[in-house]
Amino acid sequence: MRAYHIPAPDIAPSIHDIDAPAPGVGELSLSIAACGLNFADLLMIKGEYQDTPAPPFTLGMEVAGVVEALGPGTSGPPVGARVAVFGGQGGLAEHGCFPADRAVILPDSMGFTEAAAFQIAYGTSHVALDHTARLKPGETLLVLGAAGGVGLTAVEIGKLMGARVIACARGADKLEVARKAGADHLIDASTEDIRVVCKALGGVDVVYDPVGGDQFRAAMRACNPEGRILSIGFASGDVPQIPANHLLVKNLSVMGLYWGGYLKFRPEVVTDSLRTLLRWYEEGRLKPHVSHVLPLERADEALELLRSRRSTGKVVVTPSAG
């Protein structure tokens, strides 16, 4: 089968012909129809992600497709079922083996492209805003990187939860995408002062930050007393150092959120969240935004869309499995 594969340390990923894997105990084999890309894939290529596998491995964290087989003694969705799976790796290929207990059966109304773009982005934002920050109706939510893969879902979910949403992104086109997702106020990070604008709007109760760097520092200064700052990632490449005295004076909380980590110590947080999110999707309350769909042979180009920040929402690769 074809796979976008890293064969050894310090070798760039590329398309390789490798043997299709056979499912082991606790695994299912999937004919992969679509794979959603994430910023973490870029970090894995550089060996900088917290869960980077040891080479050789195939990139691609979240997939959707059709169950082909179950491993020995494994219970799970039946052969032929349409599912989405967060596997952490192995998705940029025509076939893959993944933990059967992570497979989610798709609603009939959800296509493979949307399914591959759904779990990490929506799951991260819902767990962050609901479980971690306890966002309340009427509070003000500031979303940084608001046109990106996770940021756009935070705008959408924050609005569904009854918050007033301030979306921050670079450029009019990206801000228009955030506006269509439900943002009440827009900040162009390339021309406007985040702190000044947020203060003029009455301050911020919750910050959703996948960016880090100067935007984190500006957002922290815009927080109201008892504000909660969600640290989701560091797309800017700058991991901010937090002055603890500022937290003390304004009674602020900074909370980290690694969605995949819950699968290791509290998987029910993820499964309960996905149950809610899929119900919202079936009710028509969530509309996944996929800006680019590319075939497997253009995986380099697909990842470059993330690296150069030219995408909005999600980028999906279709291996066209048979």
Side-chain angles (χ1 to χ4, degrees), residues 17-236:
D17 286 317
I18 64 174
D19 292 336
V25 175
E27 292 184 329
L28 58 76
S29 175
L30 197 69
S31 175
I32 299 172
C35 176
L37 299 188
N38 294 274
F39 189 76
D41 291 308
L42 299 177
L43 297 178
M44 278 193 188
I45 292 171
K46 297 187 290 184
E48 296 177 356
Y49 189 59
Q50 59 263 26
D51 279 341
T52 300
F57 72 93
T58 296
L59 287 160
M61 301 178 71
E62 59 180 331
V63 298
V66 177
V67 177
E68 296 179 302
L70 296 172
T74 300
S75 60
V79 172
R82 301 169 64 255
V83 301
V85 189
F86 169 74
Q89 61 171 301
L92 286 172
E94 293 176 321
H95 305 270
C97 292
F98 307 99
D101 60 1
R102 294 187 186 178
V104 177
I105 293 179
L106 301 179
D108 291 340
S109 58
M110 180 178 278
F112 289 127
T113 298
E114 285 190 328
F118 193 83
Q119 288 193 87
I120 293 177
Y122 279 104
T124 295
S125 292
H126 184 251
V127 171
L129 296 175
D130 183 60
H131 174 78
T132 304
R134 306 292 184 187
L135 179 68
K136 303 180 187 67
E139 289 191 313
T140 297
L141 167 67
L142 170 63
V143 180
L144 305 178
V150 291
L152 196 60
T153 62
V155 171
E156 196 175 2
I157 290 172
K159 194 64 181 173
L160 274 176
M161 293 178 67
R164 181 179 67 151
V165 180
I166 305 171
C168 180
R170 293 185 180 274
D173 291 346
K174 290 187 175 182
L175 288 171
E176 177 60 17
V177 172
R179 185 193 66 77
K180 289 180 178 178
D184 300 289
H185 303 280
L186 307 173
I187 300 175
D188 190 333
S190 60
T191 60
E192 295 182 278
D193 187 311
I194 294 171
R195 176 178 176 270
V196 169
V197 175
C198 289
K199 283 289 190 181
L201 292 170
V204 174
D205 301 305
V206 175
V207 176
Y208 183 97
D209 177 25
V211 177
D214 289 340
Q215 292 193 28
F216 174 96
R217 289 181 276 271
M220 185 173 68
R221 296 177 68 199
C223 281
N224 293 325
E226 296 191 327
R228 290 95 74 201
I229 304 171
L230 290 157
S231 184
I232 306 297
F234 312 104
S236 67

Side-chain angles (χ1 to χ4, degrees), residues 231-300:
S231 184
I232 306 297
F234 312 104
S236 67
D238 180 351
V239 179
Q241 302 304 301
I242 301 167
N245 58 318
H246 291 195
L247 304 182
L248 182 152
V249 169
K250 294 178 71 174
N251 291 293
L252 302 180
S253 300
V254 179
M255 298 170 280
L257 192 285
Y258 169 38
W259 179 81
Y262 277 104
L263 292 169
K264 300 175 182 177
F265 66 93
R266 285 194 65 191
E268 72 278 4
V269 171
V270 170
T271 54
D272 290 349
S273 171
L274 286 174
R275 191 176 298 114
T276 296
L277 290 167
L278 287 170
R279 186 182 76 247
W280 285 353
Y281 176 88
E282 291 186 276
E283 293 170 352
R285 302 171 73 186
L286 298 177
K287 295 178 172 57
H289 179 84
V290 177
S291 66
H292 296 82
V293 181
L294 288 87
L296 184 62
E297 56 267 22
R298 295 172 65 188
D300 282 332

Side-chain angles (χ1 to χ4, degrees), residues 291-313:
S291 66
H292 296 82
V293 181
L294 288 87
L296 184 62
E297 56 267 22
R298 295 172 65 188
D300 282 332
E301 181 182 340
L303 286 163
E304 183 58 30
L305 289 167
L306 295 187
R307 189 179 289 111
S308 63
R309 303 183 190 179
R310 287 185 287 124
S311 61
T312 55

